[in-house]
Amino acid sequence: MATTTAPTFTLHKNVTSFLKTPRKMLIGGEWVDSVSGKTFETFNPATGEVLGRVAEGDRADIDQAVKAARKAFESGPWPEMSPSQRGRLIWKLADLLEHNLDELAELETLDNGKPLFFSRMVDVPSTADLFRYMAGWASKIEGNTIPLSARGGQYFAYSLREPIGVVGQIIPWNFPLMMAAWKLGPALAVGCTLVLKPAEQTPLSALRLGELAIEAGFPPGVINIVPGFGETAGAALAAHPDVDKIAFTGSTEVGKLILQAASGNLKKVSLELGGKSPNIVFQDAELKTAIPGSANAIFFNQGQCCTAGSRLFVHKTIFDEVVEGVGKAARKLRVGPGLDPNTNLGPLVSQEQLDRVCGYLESGIKDGAKAIVGGQKGAGSGYFVEPTVLVDVKPEMKVYREEIFGPVVTAVPFSDPEEVLPSANSTVYGLAAAVWTRDISKAHRLANGLRAGTVWVNCYDVFDAAAPFGGFKMSGIGRELGEYALELYTEVKTVYVNLG
Ligand code: ADP
């Protein structure tokens, strides 16, 4: 792989001014400092240098934000608003996102590290798209009329779908803006109010989103944004007795903590967690799409995707060809700062993540795996790691079993579908899977047999605001996106009316 050099890039003037002053938190429609007065630094992963300062929320700030969200849920303009008015506000927010695309994309790349091309082409547009999709749902949240058998038609029954109330939302750093939209979109569409806690590594785009939400006209307290650390602000939100529902995206380890914290008031919980997704290439696959597709499956977003195709299974007759092809794609990737237009693979998000991924690389090599490409930390002061393909991998190795969350794929040969399916399913995770084959029956058989929330056939990482997404097994609870997402944020109420 080649490396690119630090570019001379002139930042959008709004980005420069946004980074100049410490960012405050959004509570009750006001930008405020933290109660403690504390702030924390966010870093540029391409250089390791401080990028900006952000107010550090903790229990007291979460408490104020929850109070503001409760007030906005129960009184004032939000509960009075018609579904169509809510939809229009969400749509307006999507327009503003698009209007500010350049600035938001730069902010996302600076804070997260991802190549600017992807921030511009994927992160910001799909965030706007998600809001538009959910804006449409605002006026289509329906209950049912229910035919009763009891009491000879004496009663009439119907159901209502009501907003669940005050929602806490905790998001990760890999797609900061998009994850905020996945959480905010459906909650706002159904009429909830919320407290969002962005990841401490990447708080900036969510805070800018907060400014745009105010500009769009969301009433005070409907959207509250409290940046801070997981163990303090995040834990306080998950445990808060006046939060009706907590929605979390992040690691499976923290997902378990959220579930425990939520038990105090039995708040509703939805979790979108880790993965170790199998990507299966059969001998009858069209290799000119399967090889680049398999490379993208792992290297997109520096491998920091919960869906990353990190376990590549290849039929033994084409193993060398496919693995060499993926290796060649890895060698071609230009690793460098996200702002450099020549970069295809940016830095990892943080020093901690770099140490973690390098630890996995060391453990894999020590256990006997071989890197046909990569295997090392990248050059420079940023958090760079080489895209890596590991072979000679055994099922008991940590690199094969655990989620690495970096650009590291293990490649394993197989002989027949009956052998590969149990291997593919042999993981605690069940988020996503892919099959590459021209045999339509085999594709459907595998799609049925794979224990995963999403199965891609002859493609990878296709997402749409309309298609449900979430995990089997330890990859999560509930489904985001699509109509299913509305269920996460509504309660069903049954009403019986005596006709007598
Ligand atoms: P990663 O390990 O990849 O950084 P995490 O699951 O730790 O992912 O983080 C995802 C989100 O969860 C972040 O917003 C983080 O601040 C938050 N978080 C981390 N620990 C906790 C916790 N104990 N309680 C609530 N939120 C947490």
Side-chain angles (χ1 to χ4, degrees):
M1 60 245 76
T3 41
T4 63
T5 48
T8 41
F9 187 96
T10 311
L11 290 174
H12 193 288
K13 65 177 189 327
N14 291 0
V15 173
T16 318
S17 66
F18 190 83
L19 294 174
K20 217 179 267 167
T21 47
R23 306 315 311 172
K24 301 188 180 201
M25 51 184 79
L26 178 60
I27 297 181
E30 303 288 333
W31 291 99
V32 295
D33 292 318
S34 61
V35 172
S36 68
K38 281 205 239 168
T39 58
F40 67 99
E41 290 166 336
T42 174
F43 296 89
N44 179 347
T47 60
E49 287 162 9
V50 174
L51 180 65
R53 272 199 165 272
V54 176
E56 183 184 331
D58 199 343
R59 184 172 303 275
D61 309 281
I62 291 289
D63 205 39
Q64 290 195 352
V66 171
K67 282 201 179 89
R70 177 62 63 192
K71 189 165 165 226
F73 183 72
E74 286 177 354
S75 57
W78 186 244
E80 303 291 319
M81 224 174 247
S82 73
S84 146
Q85 283 172 317
R86 273 203 317 270
R88 246 180 288 173
L89 280 182
I90 301 170
W91 194 279
K92 176 91 186 287
L93 181 55
D95 288 344
L96 288 172
L97 280 158
E98 273 179 356
H99 189 70
N100 293 280
L101 184 145
D102 290 336
E103 177 196 338
L104 283 160
E106 284 177 24
L107 212 49
E108 200 73 326
T109 287
L110 283 169
D111 213 9
N112 167 279
K114 63 180 71 198
L116 186 58
F117 172 82
F118 291 112
S119 299
R120 291 181 57 87
M121 300 304 290
V122 180
D123 295 74
V124 183
S126 62
T127 297
D129 192 54
L130 183 286
F131 278 121
R132 292 217 173 91
Y133 173 84
M134 290 299 170
W137 271 117
S139 53
K140 295 160 198 74
I141 316 291
E142 297 175 348
N144 300 108
T145 55
I146 303 161
L148 300 178
S149 299
R151 309 281 188 105
Q154 194 193 332
Y155 300 95
F156 170 61
Y158 61 93
S159 64
L160 296 170
R161 296 201 76 100
E162 298 186 351
I164 207 164
V166 172
V167 177
Q169 303 181 316
I170 300 175
I171 55 171
W173 43 258
N174 57 344
F175 294 92
L177 192 61
M178 211 195 288
M179 289 300 103
W182 284 28
K183 296 282 180 279
L184 263 64
L188 295 170
V190 303
C192 292
T193 59
L194 60 95
V195 178
L196 176 77
K197 194 205 80 66
E200 53 269 39
Q201 297 85 347
T202 55
L204 298 178
S205 56
L207 293 171
R208 182 69 186 115
L209 179 69
E211 290 183 347
L212 296 176
I214 291 183
E215 192 179 334
F218 282 93
V222 172
I223 299 172
N224 303 277
I225 305 178
V226 180
F229 291 89
E231 307 76 47
T232 50
L237 187 56
H240 201 289
D242 200 32
V243 169
D244 298 298
K245 188 232 153 64
I246 188 93
F248 170 78
T249 298
S251 60
T252 293
E253 196 188 346
V254 174
K256 288 186 194 172
L257 297 177
I258 301 279
L259 206 50
Q260 285 163 12
S263 69
N265 68 334
L266 287 184
K267 57 174 71 66
K268 311 297 182 272
V269 180
S270 53
L271 305 171
E272 202 268 271
L273 308 175
K276 189 75 179 170
S277 300
N279 179 36
I280 307 169
V281 184
F282 284 96
Q283 67 274 40
D284 57 6
E286 187 185 66
L287 294 189
K288 74 172 198 292
T289 51
I291 291 173
S294 298
N296 283 336
I298 184 64
F299 300 132
F300 175 57
N301 213 42
Q302 295 67 245
Q304 301 169 132
C305 298
C306 46
T307 54
S310 51
R311 286 184 303 143
L312 176 62
F313 295 96
V314 186
H315 193 268
K316 61 183 182 188
T317 55
I318 52 163
F319 185 77
D320 290 346
E321 185 181 355
V322 171
V323 169
E324 187 39 48
V326 174
K328 207 166 145 192
R331 270 178 225 111
K332 269 203 206 143
L333 290 171
R334 287 180 305 259
V335 180
L339 288 181
D340 186 332
N342 294 315
T343 292
N344 318 111
L345 197 91
L348 300 184
V349 74
S350 64
Q351 182 67 47
E352 187 188 354
Q353 191 58 15
L354 178 66
D355 293 344
R356 206 178 116 87
V357 173
C358 289
Y360 274 110
L361 289 175
E362 274 168 35
S363 106
I365 306 291
K366 192 169 108 268
D367 291 346
K370 190 173 128 211
I372 63 149
V373 53
Q376 303 281 335
K377 181 185 175 311
S381 56
Y383 313 133
F384 299 103
V385 70
E386 296 176 348
T388 300
V389 180
L390 295 175
V391 294
D392 297 343
V393 173
K394 298 281 172 300
E396 58 280 5
M397 290 181 187
K398 262 171 65 170
V399 284
Y400 177 83
R401 308 198 73 78
E402 297 179 13
E403 183 177 43
I404 298 176
F405 226 64
V408 183
V409 64
T410 58
V412 172
F414 69 90
S415 310
D416 56 50
E418 284 65 41
E419 178 201 344
V420 76
L421 188 58
S423 303
N425 283 336
S426 169
T427 164
V428 295
Y429 296 113
L431 193 60
V435 184
W436 303 82
T437 175
R438 285 193 181 94
D439 177 343
I440 192 166
S441 308
K442 200 183 336 174
H444 282 290
R445 274 206 317 278
L446 264 287
N448 281 345
L450 284 161
R451 303 268 300 149
T454 298
V455 178
W456 288 292
V457 178
N458 296 328
C459 56
Y460 209 96
D461 272 345
V462 181
F463 287 91
D464 193 282
F469 177 79
F472 282 32
K473 300 194 271 182
M474 286 176 76
S475 286
I477 299 176
R479 292 292 176 273
E480 298 193 284
L481 305 183
E483 191 175 352
Y484 284 87
L486 309 170
E487 287 179 18
L488 304 180
Y489 296 102
T490 46
E491 289 279 21
V492 176
K493 178 183 283 176
T494 304
V495 181
Y496 290 94
V497 181
N498 189 342
L499 300 175

